Amino acid sequence: MCWRELTKLVVVAIFFAACLYMLADVIGFGSPWLGLLMMFNFMGLAKVAEPLFVLRMPRALRTVGPWTLNGRLYRCLGVRGFGDLLRSTPLRYLNGSVYRSGGRQSLAKLKRQAESAEATHFWAAVLFTPYIAYVWSRGFVVESVVLTIVQIVFNVYPILHLRIVRARLGGIERVNGLRKAA
């Protein structure tokens, strides 16, 4: 099983590298848009690698407090609306493993998938942010603004949404634990 997953990861990595090279050959190796493809490649590789290893959030950011569900900041930022958009459109298929379709997935597995997805977006954001600064420093102001918007939509909002999902799952786990104890 491990060799099959490792082979799949290597093949996907080679495919992504070839795609990156072909795009760079067409638009130029100095293009600011290559970083965007690298961010998406990183996220794709992290997903393909999940059977082998799972990315984790830094320890200081792992805990999700109950204020996440009722917090004013999340409400003002429209994070729940973003979650509704993900659930009610084909965007849900970008990472269907964080949904509990018909109760077929255990809560523990769902929580692990949500943690993994959150960590993937987090590390993609951490790696992409210096690139945005680099693009800005090269004088590509419009491109860096566009990349910042992409960063917010594809990494920041998913992180915030997945934190709400994990807070909900934590609440369900606590209720189930109380029921079992009673």
Side-chain angles (χ1 to χ4, degrees):
M1 175 77 173
C2 185
W3 284 107
R4 180 182 300 160
E5 300 301 332
L6 185 60
T7 302
K8 184 165 67 169
L9 179 62
V10 169
V11 167
V12 169
I14 291 169
F15 175 76
F16 283 170
C19 289
L20 184 67
Y21 179 80
M22 288 187 292
L23 180 65
D25 195 39
V26 171
I27 65 174
F29 286 89
S31 173
W33 301 111
L34 290 179
L36 183 61
L37 182 59
M38 285 190 284
M39 180 193 73
F40 288 129
N41 286 351
F42 169 80
M43 293 170 73
L45 281 174
K47 184 66 181 166
V48 172
E50 276 182 354
L52 298 170
F53 64 91
V54 177
L55 292 174
R56 296 188 49 106
M57 292 288 287
R59 187 176 308 270
L61 299 175
R62 246 181 250 159
T63 304
V64 179
W67 63 270
T68 304
L69 285 174
N70 303 319
R72 180 179 288 175
L73 177 63
Y74 280 54
R75 192 174 21 251
C76 289
L77 291 174
V79 177
R80 287 188 187 267
F82 179 79
D84 292 340
L85 174 72
L86 290 178
R87 279 189 297 280
S88 60
T89 65
L91 292 172
R92 81 179 288 137
Y93 299 110
L94 290 174
N95 192 359
S97 64
V98 297
Y99 296 99
R100 190 168 186 208
S101 305
R104 290 179 286 184
Q105 188 169 214
S106 74
L107 287 177
K109 184 175 180 185
L110 187 62
K111 187 176 178 187
R112 279 192 307 275
Q113 292 293 333
E115 288 172 351
S116 173
E118 181 184 348
T120 298
H121 284 286
F122 173 80
W123 290 112
V126 165
L127 295 171
F128 195 46
T129 299
Y131 184 77
I132 295 171
Y134 169 71
V135 169
W136 179 276
S137 73
R138 287 183 52 207
F140 293 107
V141 176
V142 173
E143 290 85 347
S144 61
V145 169
V146 171
L147 293 175
T148 300
I149 292 168
V150 169
Q151 172 87 301
I152 291 167
V153 172
F154 283 91
N155 287 323
V156 175
Y157 268 83
I159 290 167
L160 297 175
H161 170 65
L162 287 161
R163 291 187 75 75
I164 289 175
V165 168
R166 289 197 311 115
R168 284 182 180 161
L169 291 172
I172 292 170
E173 283 179 332
R174 282 189 293 281
V175 168
N176 285 344
L178 292 174
R179 284 183 189 156
K180 289 178 183 176

